[in-house]
Amino acid sequence: MEVLLENVLNLVGFLVGLIIGIMSLIGFRNTGSPTLFRLTIAFFSISAGFLVIWSGHMIEDLVAESGIIKRWIQTLGIGIQTTGYFFIAFSHSIKAFFPKSRYFRSVGVLPLFLVSSVQLEHIFRSVSFILLAYGAIETMLSYFENKNRGAISVATGLAMLAFGEFLGWYSFVFPESVLDHVSTIIKIGGLILLFVPVSKIPLTRIKFDDGPDNLK
Amino acid sequence: MDRQAMAEYRTHMKIIGDILYTTRDDLQDEGGATVTYLIRKANISHSRISRILKTLVSQGLLEQVDSQGANKYRISPSGREFLQAYHAFTEFADSFGLNI
């Protein structure tokens, strides 16, 4: 059951990240927007992170047949995902504080000082939680400004990913408990919610290859 | 600085979108929009809009027309396609609470 849920999470994460990353890339190529460039890096990183963990599970199951993923592969995958979450949070920092305030620089660095864990994986999970929570709050605040319904779905999705990450980190304290399953299910739900508004974007009317290359 | 004041900041992309929307939807006449009109609508300085207009013309998004000795600008077919993409991806970025 645990392995199945873990595989579903990694595959859903890989696919959702890949699709949103491709859409962001198309948007960047068509408009030259730096925001879309950052979203491209963010979602390709998230996708790659899930792929690394899934590949680790597959190699262990099918080749090594040990059934337990190597710790360094899991850490690498979570680290790559954290990079993606960082770029989402970074985009919000720029929107909220650029260009007049220097505050965003401090919030970009702050999470690194908030954690005291000794293991790299704990640090990545902690940082992921902070970045995701920050992204969820900023997205919800933006909903109050723009009333774009898609923002509610994305904010809830990011919040669920954050909560799932928190529970996942907490399960280090209580290993082998039901918390692990709950964390995985919540994260799958969060990823699906991230995809909902993106699936409604009317891309079919756009001619993709004639966008300007240099508008900056 | 409070949040509302910061929200007034427009990205470079937003200014380009505003200029293109003006030339598509809000023209004084069929001949195109003058620089003065675009400055008023886009609310930016002459030097900045000159640079942006030069870029937009070189990218083929705007057409420069000579009308009775005055330079005027009107949107090109590529510019209309760009606006479609701009509109779709503005919505996309809005879903993430971001501005493109």
Side-chain angles (χ1 to χ4, degrees):
Chain A
M1 177 70 174
E2 188 181 339
V3 176
L4 176 71
L5 275 177
E6 197 54 49
N7 279 333
V8 171
L9 169 68
N10 290 324
L11 282 176
V12 170
F14 166 66
L15 288 175
V16 168
L18 186 67
I19 292 169
I20 300 178
I22 289 171
M23 288 180 70
S24 304
L25 180 63
I26 291 169
F28 169 65
R29 287 186 59 190
N30 274 263
T31 64
S33 161
T35 303
L36 293 175
F37 180 65
R38 284 190 290 274
L39 282 181
T40 304
I41 297 175
F43 282 100
F44 279 151
S45 294
I46 291 168
S47 179
F50 280 111
L51 180 65
V52 166
I53 298 173
W54 181 75
S55 305
H57 278 296
M58 286 298 106
I59 290 167
E60 292 304 320
D61 283 349
L62 302 176
V63 181
E65 295 184 353
S66 65
I68 301 167
I69 185 171
K70 284 203 165 50
R71 178 62 73 190
W72 71 266
I73 298 178
Q74 176 126 338
T75 304
L76 177 67
I78 291 172
I80 295 171
Q81 282 177 40
T82 304
T83 308
Y85 301 142
F86 167 78
F87 275 98
I88 294 176
F90 183 53
S91 293
H92 280 290
S93 299
I94 288 177
K95 184 196 166 195
F97 302 108
F98 187 81
K100 300 288 169 69
S101 169
R102 292 177 182 171
Y103 177 70
F104 81 94
R105 294 187 186 122
S106 62
V107 295
V109 174
L110 193 60
L112 299 178
F113 296 104
L114 287 177
V115 290
S116 59
S117 178
V118 287
Q119 285 187 23
L120 210 51
E121 188 175 334
H122 290 225
I123 293 173
F124 286 147
R125 281 188 188 276
S126 308
V127 173
S128 289
F129 167 74
I130 292 166
L131 296 174
L132 284 164
Y134 175 67
I137 291 166
E138 283 292 339
T139 308
M140 190 49 84
L141 286 174
S142 123
Y143 165 74
F144 292 128
E145 286 171 9
N146 302 330
K147 302 293 177 199
N148 182 326
R149 285 184 187 176
I152 297 181
S153 180
V154 170
T156 311
L158 290 175
M160 285 174 74
L161 281 175
F163 188 53
E165 208 60 68
F166 175 74
L167 289 181
W169 173 80
Y170 206 66
S171 69
F172 279 115
V173 185
F174 300 108
E176 309 276 322
S177 73
V178 73
L179 282 176
D180 227 13
H181 299 327
V182 175
S183 158
T184 308
I185 291 167
I186 288 175
K187 282 201 266 187
I188 292 170
L191 286 166
I192 291 168
L193 279 176
L194 276 189
F195 183 67
V196 169
V198 175
S199 66
K200 294 177 183 167
I201 303 294
L203 290 179
T204 48
R205 287 184 289 132
I206 299 167
K207 190 178 174 185
F208 290 122
D209 295 319
D210 282 349
D213 293 326
N214 182 20
L215 278 174
K216 292 186 269 293
Chain B
M1 181 172 288
D2 65 295
R3 196 174 179 87
Q4 191 167 0
M6 285 185 286
E8 287 169 8
Y9 172 75
R10 287 184 301 166
T11 61
H12 186 68
M13 192 57 56
K14 176 87 169 66
I15 293 170
I16 287 172
D18 287 348
I19 291 171
L20 290 175
Y21 275 125
T22 302
T23 56
R24 190 188 71 174
D25 304 332
D26 202 13
L27 276 188
Q28 307 131 301
D29 57 62
E30 290 299 313
T34 61
V35 176
T36 312
Y37 185 73
L38 290 173
I39 287 173
R40 199 166 69 241
K41 285 287 182 180
N43 194 25
I44 55 173
S45 69
H46 185 275
S47 60
R48 189 163 184 202
I49 203 168
S50 297
R51 284 199 303 273
I52 294 174
L53 288 174
K54 197 174 166 188
T55 307
L56 293 180
V57 170
S58 70
Q59 293 288 326
L61 301 182
L62 282 182
E63 292 169 349
Q64 194 170 5
V65 287
D66 191 11
S67 173
Q68 296 169 341
N71 273 334
K72 289 189 174 181
Y73 296 89
R74 69 180 172 211
I75 194 164
S76 67
S78 298
R80 289 176 191 277
E81 282 171 12
F82 174 80
L83 270 186
Q84 276 191 329
Y86 174 80
H87 179 74
F89 287 105
T90 298
E91 209 170 303
F92 176 77
D94 273 353
S95 299
F96 289 93
L98 298 168
N99 299 325
I100 71 168

